[in-house]
Amino acid sequence: MPVEQRAAGVQSVQRALDLLEVVEAAGGGCSISAMAAATGLPLPTIHRLVQTLTTRGYLRRLPDRRYCLGSRLVPLGAGANALLGERAAPILRELADGLGESANLAVLAGERAEYVAQAPGLHSMRTFTEVGRRVPLHCTGVGKALLSTLGDDEARSILKRSTLSTHTATTIVEVDALLDELAGIRARGYALDEGEMEVGVRCVAMPVSVPGMSPMALSVSGPAVRMSDDLTGRAAPALSRACAALATILT
Amino acid sequence: MPVEQRAAGVQSVQRALDLLEVVEAAGGGCSISAMAAATGLPLPTIHRLVQTLTTRGYLRRLPDRRYCLGSRLVPLGAGANALLGERAAPILRELADGLGESANLAVLAGERAEYVAQAPGLHSMRTFTEVGRRVPLHCTGVGKALLSTLGDDEARSILKRSTLSTHTATTIVEVDALLDELAGIRARGYALDEGEMEVGVRCVAMPVSVPGMSPMALSVSGPAVRMSDDLTGRAAPALSRACAALATILT
DNA sequence: CTGCCGGCTTCCACCATACGGAAAAAGAAA
DNA sequence: TTTCTTTTTCCGTATGGTGGAAGCCGGCAG
């Protein structure tokens, strides 16, 4: 009785990648049995795969026998990052040109958001974010947009282990208030940052969700004096279109 | 007749990782047959593995049927990056405290060097490099140190596809001169940046080579007025020790 | 110190799964 | 068009991966 296996892929590779992603999701570190719980695979199988990934530097074994992401992933990620930024550049450029304000693309990096691409706005006074910069999730547009793509429980666990630092009077530092905010974002389709990180900076951000791919977020930000409600209103559909374009490029 | 196979690892996973690394090394993109040439694997095998990696987002299929690193690697790399920075922090801190100048750790990211960790120096006037920043290879201490870990042919191919921009009067922009410089670095064990990127900034950098792991580089940099020959002399052994410590932490 | 216990690691026989030669298909070049 | 190259599909084989069971180790309680 031949087994149904139109799973399109090499089983052991799929499983190895699953493990990488489980460890990534765990953040700090993940024991073998936690991986078993997350994937449903038997322990010896996981052990063997993890060993392979570890000797190659894709995972790292901690003294307490848990595992975290290994440093061999750093240059790979950096390379992928550069390519992605390259491909995304024209889309960001168009967005920034259309609205006149800086456009940014960010991914989730542990418990921070990392900017991977950027197109500066047209005015001489503008927000400027360096590619590679990491910012907190709770007080930025892209951060909140990224969180909104996760489930409440997962968002809560990430917020738990990050410091909800106060930056301005509008910074939201209560976990429950943040979860409410995330619900609002999901309903509305985009996030707003009302000077929560830096006074006078307003930002509209939208999650870029591509099924089976890790979350990203796109944002447009500028000085509050120019980021009128009218502009943010126009930003939403522009962001939508850019998200769709990105989704195509990422597939 | 049981086959000798103490290869310590799951074959298909090993091969999949090999392919990722081949594609990474290729930079822009890599065809299936190029991968076959690089790995010695038969075409159908590569095709199957590549397909698995592609459907998972670890590779990306270009319109011309070549493959490049996929965006699923971005968040993984970012996560690994954050963890690495965390672990390296105390070592950099000690180095910076000992010499008084800023200490930096960088990895090779395509044809740039990316800073992954940093500890500021003790003086108020100091060099400051943001984590995540990417700098050219030909005119920085860490860049040259990273290049020196590669073979001449590989270094030449990377230099070929990057722009050897002139920043100051001392910037080396000739490929052959750079290769000479690399030979000197290998002999001496460390690289010097004599204001090649920015006037008045001097930098001592050393490659951190851990066998079977991608290259990294450690550097100490500061204003030339304080970075005397005496200080750079003391920096070399301090860097050596820090490299050893890093190697331990990375293993 | 000793004995217990839960999670990690090793072993090994089975067979599902990945392998790769061969041939077909899809492009690229002529 | 034809011809050549590169990619993709097919499928029988046996290699390599699997996972139950047993051993090991280190942590904890007594």
Side-chain angles (χ1 to χ4, degrees), chain B residues 13-61:
Chain B
V13 175
Q14 297 270 22
R15 291 174 165 186
L17 300 181
D18 285 341
L19 290 176
L20 274 185
E21 292 172 13
V22 164
V23 173
E24 178 199 13
C30 190
S31 71
I32 292 228
S33 36
M35 297 183 215
T39 59
L41 295 173
L43 284 171
T45 302
I46 295 179
H47 184 257
R48 193 164 3 94
L49 291 169
V50 160
Q51 201 152 290
T52 307
L53 290 170
T54 303
T55 57
R56 287 300 224 97
Y58 286 74
L59 285 182
R60 172 178 176 64
R61 189 198 169 109

Side-chain angles (χ1 to χ4, degrees), chain B residues 84-135:
Chain B
L84 172 60
E86 215 172 276
R87 299 196 51 105
I91 295 177
L92 293 178
R93 189 63 269 141
E94 193 188 327
L95 193 57
D97 287 349
L99 297 168
E101 303 295 344
S102 303
N104 314 284
L105 179 65
V107 300
L108 192 61
E111 50 223 41
R112 311 276 280 283
E114 174 175 341
Y115 288 102
V116 300
Q118 197 264 357
L122 302 174
H123 304 89
S124 62
M125 179 181 79
R126 58 176 190 241
T127 58
F128 183 72
T129 329
E130 203 159 343
V131 168
R133 172 117 182 268
R134 301 203 184 89
V135 295

Side-chain angles (χ1 to χ4, degrees), chain A residues 18 21 56 58 60 249, chain B residues 18 21 56 58 60 249:
Chain A
D18 285 341
E21 292 172 13
R56 290 298 226 99
Y58 287 73
R60 172 178 176 64
I249 274 195
Chain B
D18 285 341
E21 292 172 13
R56 287 300 224 97
Y58 286 74
R60 172 178 176 64
I249 275 198

Side-chain angles (χ1 to χ4, degrees), chain B residues 9 61 125 137 159 198 205 219 248:
Chain B
R61 189 198 169 109
M125 179 181 79
L137 296 172
L159 289 172
E198 201 167 330
S219 79
T248 315

Side-chain angles (χ1 to χ4, degrees), chain A residues 43-104:
Chain A
L43 281 173
T45 301
I46 294 179
H47 183 258
R48 195 163 1 95
L49 292 168
V50 161
Q51 201 151 290
T52 307
L53 291 170
T54 304
T55 58
R56 290 298 226 99
Y58 287 73
L59 285 182
R60 172 178 176 64
R61 190 196 170 111
L62 301 172
D64 62 353
R65 293 166 171 227
R66 294 185 314 147
Y67 294 83
C68 66
L69 297 181
S71 46
R72 191 61 190 75
L73 285 166
V74 173
L76 281 174
N81 206 314
L83 288 171
L84 171 61
E86 216 172 277
R87 299 195 51 104
I91 296 176
L92 293 179
R93 190 64 268 143
E94 191 189 329
L95 193 57
D97 287 348
L99 297 168
E101 303 294 346
S102 303
N104 314 283

Side-chain angles (χ1 to χ4, degrees), chain A residues 6 32 68 71 80 115 133 136 138 152 176 179-180 182 240:
Chain A
R6 286 285 147 265
I32 292 225
C68 66
S71 46
Y115 288 102
R133 171 118 183 269
H138 69 288
D152 263 8
D176 291 318
L179 291 177
D180 283 353
L182 296 184
S240 278

